[in-house]
Amino acid sequence: MPISSHEIRFSLPHIEVAGKVWGEPGGLPVIALHGWLDNAATFDRIAPSLEGVYLVALDLPGHGLSGHMPATGYSLWQQAATVLQVAEDLGWERFALLGHSMGAIISGVLAGSLPDRIIAAAMIDGLMPFTSEADDAPRQMARFFNSTLQLGNKRKPVYDSVEKAVSARVLGGTTPISRDAAAALVERGLMPHDGGWTWRTDPQLMLPSPLRFTQRHASSFIENITAPTCLVLANQGVMHKHPEVLARIDAFKHLTVHRVDGGHHLHLEEPAPQVAAILKDFYTSLS
């Protein structure tokens, strides 16, 4: 029988964080992290199949039903620190991770920084962030400064129906996504506004990163992971267009890599049962 979910909220010192929970408290403790501009509903299709797992899927700050950070408050390490505060609130000294895209990158940062606290890490079509070298830092910072100045002039779109917001997500996303998958994410990502609907998402999340890891920085986090680590790569996902990224992934011999036909949101689309089966086997193997 599929596992049902319920809502959860965390009143952290600096922000309110929302999430969804599947499973029973006695199961393997797992914190699940969604991708950029998505939310906890990204795990709706796979979480009910993960028997023996107590899965807490977060709306990361700025996303879904969670609060927004103060000005210029978003970074991979800030988001990772919030995840750690959630674990503290849950009383979890050690826990496992499940991340998609940006959530997978955050998982890699946490698992590489605090290897003694991470039981295992499963990543879906994501592992390391976009990188740039030191000489690019001034240009990257300039992009960030200029974008912050323009942020106040931008207004969120307002849709007169949820269906139009779903269409906007399908047509305007950074990666292809099916309508059903978009609908699951949009439902949690909208709020009423001026007689219609607009995004709950913090506009600051659209700002470019002020700083990026170098390749060496990014690799060092993954190299420092000691917990069992499973990576599910989408054959038609974001990485298949970047052979140099795939080559870097292949160099990490301590990762177990599964390649699955599907797009970037494969865990929320047709390959979802296959992804769920891989993750179920992975988490079961830990016991």
Side-chain angles (χ1 to χ4, degrees), residues 6-7 27 102 126 133 136 149 155 157 164 188 238 245:
H6 65 268
E7 293 289 325
M102 180 187 73
E133 297 311 306
D136 296 323
L149 294 176
R155 295 291 179 267
K164 288 185 178 179
R188 195 174 179 87
V238 295
V245 176

Side-chain angles (χ1 to χ4, degrees), residues 161-263:
S161 69
V162 172
E163 290 73 20
K164 288 185 178 179
V166 173
S167 295
R169 176 62 195 266
V170 171
L171 297 174
T174 55
T175 57
I177 187 171
S178 70
R179 189 171 187 85
D180 286 347
L185 296 170
V186 165
E187 181 179 356
R188 195 174 179 87
L190 286 178
M191 62 181 181
H193 184 73
D194 285 349
W197 301 90
T198 194
W199 306 113
R200 293 182 181 274
T201 310
D202 190 341
Q204 290 188 94
L205 291 165
M206 304 299 291
L207 293 173
S209 301
L211 287 173
R212 287 179 171 176
F213 291 149
T214 66
Q215 287 192 27
R216 188 71 208 108
H217 282 140
S219 295
S220 66
F221 285 99
I222 308 306
E223 291 167 357
N224 205 47
I225 296 174
T226 58
T229 305
C230 168
L231 174 61
V232 180
L233 282 180
N235 288 336
Q236 292 77 40
V238 295
M239 296 191 216
H240 78 286
K241 296 180 181 178
H242 302 280
E244 74 283 0
V245 176
L246 293 177
R248 289 165 64 193
I249 290 172
D250 289 337
F252 298 122
K253 301 303 182 184
H254 60 305
L255 303 184
T256 301
V257 181
H258 301 267
R259 289 175 167 81
V260 177
D261 281 336

Side-chain angles (χ1 to χ4, degrees), residues 1-286:
M1 180 181 295
I3 304 166
S4 60
S5 67
H6 65 268
E7 293 289 325
I8 193 169
R9 294 197 72 87
F10 300 93
S11 296
L12 304 180
H14 66 296
I15 197 169
E16 289 278 328
V17 172
K20 300 182 70 172
V21 177
W22 287 265
E24 298 297 328
L28 176 72
V30 179
I31 296 179
L33 310 173
H34 59 78
W36 181 60
L37 303 184
D38 291 347
N39 54 61
T42 197
F43 299 106
D44 279 0
R45 285 199 65 182
I46 61 173
S49 300
L50 300 180
E51 298 173 8
V53 169
Y54 185 54
L55 186 76
V56 179
L58 303 182
D59 291 333
L60 289 165
H63 299 78
L65 304 180
S66 288
H68 296 181
M69 295 293 289
T72 65
Y74 295 97
S75 66
L76 291 174
W77 44 91
Q78 177 274 325
Q79 297 282 28
T82 297
V83 175
L84 195 60
Q85 287 182 321
V86 167
E88 293 288 300
D89 201 68
L90 288 164
W92 292 356
E93 177 62 28
R94 300 188 74 237
F95 56 96
L97 293 162
L98 170 60
H100 169 244
S101 193
M102 180 187 73
I105 295 168
I106 295 169
S107 297
V109 170
L110 270 173
S113 300
L114 301 171
D116 292 342
R117 294 201 63 173
I118 306 305
I119 298 171
M123 289 97 149
I124 302 171
D125 213 41
L127 183 65
M128 294 183 292
F130 290 114
T131 60
S132 60
E133 297 311 306
D135 289 346
D136 296 323
R139 285 186 293 274
Q140 184 67 24
M141 188 68 74
R143 289 181 59 225
F144 170 75
F145 287 147
N146 290 329
S147 296
T148 59
L149 294 176
Q150 298 166 12
L151 192 62
N153 298 324
K154 296 181 179 179
R155 295 291 179 267
K156 291 183 179 181
V158 178
Y159 307 98
D160 57 22
S161 69
V162 172
E163 290 73 20
K164 288 185 178 179
V166 173
S167 295
R169 176 62 195 266
V170 171
L171 297 174
T174 55
T175 57
I177 187 171
S178 70
R179 189 171 187 85
D180 286 347
L185 296 170
V186 165
E187 181 179 356
R188 195 174 179 87
L190 286 178
M191 62 181 181
H193 184 73
D194 285 349
W197 301 90
T198 194
W199 306 113
R200 293 182 181 274
T201 310
D202 190 341
Q204 290 188 94
L205 291 165
M206 304 299 291
L207 293 173
S209 301
L211 287 173
R212 287 179 171 176
F213 291 149
T214 66
Q215 287 192 27
R216 188 71 208 108
H217 282 140
S219 295
S220 66
F221 285 99
I222 308 306
E223 291 167 357
N224 205 47
I225 296 174
T226 58
T229 305
C230 168
L231 174 61
V232 180
L233 282 180
N235 288 336
Q236 292 77 40
V238 295
M239 296 191 216
H240 78 286
K241 296 180 181 178
H242 302 280
E244 74 283 0
V245 176
L246 293 177
R248 289 165 64 193
I249 290 172
D250 289 337
F252 298 122
K253 301 303 182 184
H254 60 305
L255 303 184
T256 301
V257 181
H258 301 267
R259 289 175 167 81
V260 177
D261 281 336
H264 186 52
H265 285 82
L266 73 167
H267 62 301
L268 195 54
E269 299 179 326
E270 288 310 308
Q274 185 178 356
V275 176
I278 291 170
L279 296 174
K280 183 178 178 180
D281 287 347
F282 173 66
Y283 289 129
T284 301
S285 71
L286 303 173

